[in-house]
Amino acid sequence: MDKLIHDDKGNTTISNDGATIMKLLDIVHPAAKILVDIAKSQDSEVGDGTTTVVLLAGEFLREAKPFIEDGVHPQNLIRSYRTASYLAIDKIKELAVSIEGKSLEEKKTLLAKCAATTLSSKLIGGEKEFFASMVVDAVMAIGNDDRLNLIGIKKVPGGNMRDSFLVNGVAFKKTFSYAGFEQQPKKFLNPKILLLNIELELKSEKENAEIRLSDPVQYQSIVDAEWNIIYDKLDKCVKSGAKIVLSRLAIGDLATQYFADRDIFCAGRVTEEDLRRVAAATGGTVQTSVNNIIDEVLGSCEVFEERQVGNERFNIFSGCPSGQTATIVLRGGADQFIEEAERSLHDAIMIVRRALKNSTVVAGGGAIDMEISRYLRQHARTIAGKSQLFINSYAKALEVIPRQLCDNAGFDATDVLNKLRQKHASGEGVNYGVDINTGGIADSFANFVWEPAVVKINAINAATEAACLILSVDETVKNPKSESAQGEAAANAMAGRGRGGAAFRGRGGRGMRRR
């Protein structure tokens, strides 16, 4: 289920991403802030499982509450919870299946299944196969590079989700342009690309600049020198052999017309992120001067074209030699919908990257949680003393994941959980989880509902640590001195206003009597 969050500035966000929701909530309680922190850490470390980690931490605390109320010392609970988490993580590693040693096509198919599992709970879940393959292609395009900003996501309102497309290269919106831009060619094959970080326009002098002339004739030579400087820069750009000139700073009307007359495409005020991605893809280097431009600093691509996408025009570089970047152009109706689609794709991209690096996957749909729960219950029977109860409560808390899946899909959680417990207890249903299509149970692995093992390991680790941290707190101490100081300051301010008013009235009254 999605949440609609409306803030005091009037911004509306629709999302079911745990980290996004936690960030947008104005949380004051210090213990609740810990849950926000673990959701953020899960998002930055793994990218998905943010809702899982908050759910688990909350459920661990709920299961611990009766024990604390009955007078159990928190340290006993913490020890048992930590032991249970180590056992759970070892069991996950034991059940995980490696995808190493597969061919590229097989690996792509497996990664697409992981991405589809992530997207199934999102707003764009109806088109998960379409977007899953797009995400896998985008991640494969950047190779082993860790920089997530090499995958650009551009949002264009209008059309439907199926109109979204992937560019194996760079795409960015047409920048602000001057007269003469429409006369420039809009398509090139195998062009040379010059990337600049300088202005190509006539600049006005600073406010305090001053030139003193003894002869009016000299004025013209100063104006000519100014024009010669800009023409010299433009001439060097043309002589470099580049057919496309991009700059992070402005390219003025004179330069635009100059390039148009020579069949060169130019774009100024390109954002730094897009310029960096163009450099990574085309093999070019951003220049801060137009002097001594050699072939080695120029980039290249197979095809450059300017294409209309909805109401926007996009500059698209494809067939880049380095191939170290990709761009997903997202289409859709409402702005909130496209923004949620972008957040969903971010989660899927992170998951695919993690699956590529840590190449082990486990069954999703609550299957791994039920199996760990069964394993911990079984292990608890071999332990004497109170720890048995605490590990049992930890095992019960893990069942919150399949229960929540059933609730969100509108099925009877009690009925489904009973079937799952029965199947896992028989020893045959290790990979059985919730089937959200039929409302029953199914083999998650056979149905390709997979998730990287690192997601579950990280979620259990973070949730256990957060629960143990909150349990270990036995007293909340506020600083009463600072509070009383604030109170006194406020009281003094009020009293001061009151005295001032009284004095003013008094003086006014005496003045009237004298008169």
Side-chain angles (χ1 to χ4, degrees):
M1 300 300 287
D2 298 307
K3 305 285 175 277
L4 190 149
I5 300 156
H6 188 264
D7 64 15
D8 51 0
K9 293 175 186 168
N11 299 326
T12 305
T13 307
I14 299 170
S15 181
N16 73 352
D17 179 51
T20 305
I21 293 165
M22 297 298 266
K23 274 182 217 163
L24 292 169
L25 294 177
D26 189 16
I27 292 170
V28 179
H29 196 286
K33 280 183 178 175
I34 294 169
L35 299 185
V36 178
D37 291 339
I38 59 168
K40 284 181 182 173
S41 78
Q42 179 80 3
D43 193 42
S44 60
E45 181 66 26
V46 187
D48 196 25
T50 49
T51 316
T52 302
V53 77
V54 175
L55 262 179
L56 282 175
E59 199 65 18
F60 290 153
L61 291 170
R62 182 184 292 171
E63 289 296 328
K65 191 182 175 189
F67 296 118
I68 299 292
E69 286 172 347
D70 289 344
V72 172
H73 197 280
Q75 287 302 332
N76 293 340
L77 263 169
I78 290 168
R79 269 195 295 274
S80 297
Y81 272 20
R82 288 219 167 106
T83 305
S85 77
Y86 298 145
L87 289 167
I89 289 164
D90 288 341
K91 187 67 177 172
I92 291 171
K93 288 176 180 173
E94 183 191 315
L95 293 170
V97 176
S98 175
I99 58 170
E100 273 296 334
K102 309 274 185 186
S103 69
L104 184 64
E105 282 306 311
E106 278 182 302
K107 202 175 266 190
K108 272 189 171 183
T109 310
L110 297 174
L111 292 170
K113 303 288 189 241
C114 287
T117 304
T118 303
L119 294 171
S120 59
S121 64
K122 308 290 185 188
L123 208 59
I124 55 175
E127 302 286 354
K128 62 183 179 185
E129 282 84 10
F130 174 73
F131 283 110
S133 60
M134 191 184 286
V135 164
V136 173
D137 289 341
V139 174
M140 289 290 197
I142 66 168
N144 296 323
D145 204 309
D146 270 352
R147 290 174 294 170
L148 198 63
N149 58 5
L150 290 177
I151 299 177
I153 298 180
K154 304 294 178 186
K155 296 169 284 189
V156 184
N160 60 31
M161 287 188 293
R162 282 267 173 186
D163 294 335
S164 305
F165 59 92
L166 174 74
V167 176
N168 278 318
V170 185
F172 57 84
K173 280 182 193 173
K174 177 177 103 56
T175 56
F176 178 81
S177 56
Y178 291 93
F181 177 79
E182 294 304 333
Q183 296 166 27
Q184 294 176 354
K186 299 295 186 290
K187 185 168 183 177
F188 290 98
L189 297 175
N190 299 311
K192 295 272 181 71
I193 301 161
L194 175 61
L195 307 172
L196 300 171
N197 191 12
I198 55 171
E199 284 181 320
L200 292 176
E201 63 177 346
L202 289 165
K203 290 178 69 177
S204 59
E205 293 302 327
K206 296 282 187 287
E207 297 81 14
N208 57 357
E210 188 178 300
I211 299 172
R212 298 191 179 188
L213 304 173
S214 57
D215 183 358
V217 177
Q218 292 174 323
Y219 179 73
Q220 187 58 43
S221 66
I222 290 164
V223 173
D224 290 344
E226 199 174 24
W227 282 87
N228 287 337
I229 289 167
I230 183 76
Y231 275 124
D232 182 49
K233 283 182 181 177
L234 298 176
D235 201 36
K236 283 174 179 170
C237 291
V238 173
K239 282 180 179 170
S240 71
K243 282 293 178 185
I244 297 167
V245 179
L246 304 179
S247 178
R248 201 172 77 78
L249 302 173
I251 293 179
D253 48 357
L254 170 73
T256 305
Q257 189 62 58
Y258 188 91
F259 287 136
D261 293 342
R262 288 154 184 79
D263 286 342
I264 294 173
F265 177 89
C266 70
R269 297 192 178 97
V270 178
T271 62
E272 190 174 354
E273 185 190 338
D274 286 330
L275 200 66
R276 206 180 294 130
R277 286 174 53 237
V278 171
T282 61
T285 309
V286 179
Q287 300 297 300
T288 52
S289 165
V290 290
N291 296 322
N292 302 321
I293 295 173
I294 53 174
D295 276 357
E296 281 73 18
V297 301
L298 298 177
S300 64
C301 67
E302 283 177 16
V303 182
F304 165 80
E305 62 177 328
E306 188 175 284
R307 197 194 303 173
Q308 189 81 20
V309 182
N311 288 331
E312 306 284 353
R313 275 156 74 177
F314 270 75
N315 298 327
I316 297 173
F317 300 80
S318 50
C320 301
S322 301
Q324 289 286 301
T325 182
T327 309
I328 296 171
V329 179
L330 273 180
R331 307 295 310 281
D335 286 342
Q336 288 95 335
F337 180 84
I338 299 178
E339 280 169 17
E340 175 59 7
E342 183 188 13
R343 283 190 288 271
S344 304
L345 286 182
H346 169 264
D347 284 5
I349 287 166
M350 291 290 281
I351 282 297
V352 172
R353 281 175 70 221
R354 285 291 165 211
L356 262 176
K357 286 197 166 179
N358 307 289
S359 53
T360 51
V361 294
V362 291
I368 191 75
D369 307 274
M370 288 302 293
E371 183 57 24
I372 296 166
S373 178
R374 180 203 64 77
Y375 169 69
L376 288 177
R377 283 179 208 271
Q378 198 174 324
H379 180 82
R381 293 195 193 105
T382 65
I383 300 170
K386 293 176 189 171
S387 295
Q388 185 183 81
L389 294 171
F390 307 152
I391 290 177
N392 252 330
S393 72
Y394 190 97
K396 189 185 173 190
L398 289 168
E399 291 182 354
V400 71
I401 303 297
R403 187 185 304 124
Q404 201 59 51
L405 284 172
C406 295
D407 288 344
N408 288 351
F411 301 128
D412 182 2
T414 311
D415 184 39
V416 175
L417 278 176
N418 282 337
K419 286 180 186 172
L420 278 174
R421 284 194 200 105
Q422 185 184 353
K423 195 75 180 173
H424 281 264
S426 68
E428 300 168 5
V430 175
N431 295 323
Y432 269 74
V434 180
D435 185 352
I436 58 166
N437 296 319
T438 62
I441 64 172
D443 188 332
S444 297
F445 225 88
N447 286 349
F448 308 114
V449 181
W450 301 340
E451 56 185 330
V454 69
V455 176
K456 268 289 174 257
I457 291 169
N458 218 67
I460 287 174
N461 256 332
T464 308
E465 282 304 318
C468 291
L469 181 63
I470 293 167
L471 284 172
S472 67
V473 175
D474 69 337
E475 192 102 25
T476 306
V477 181
K478 284 188 179 179
N479 188 346
K481 190 176 178 183
S482 62
E483 285 185 7
S484 63
Q486 284 172 1
E488 281 173 25
N492 289 340
M494 291 297 288
R497 283 201 290 274
R499 282 197 296 275
F504 178 76
R505 284 197 299 277
R507 283 197 297 275
R510 284 196 294 276
M512 290 296 285
R513 278 199 295 277
R514 268 196 218 95
R515 206 179 285 166

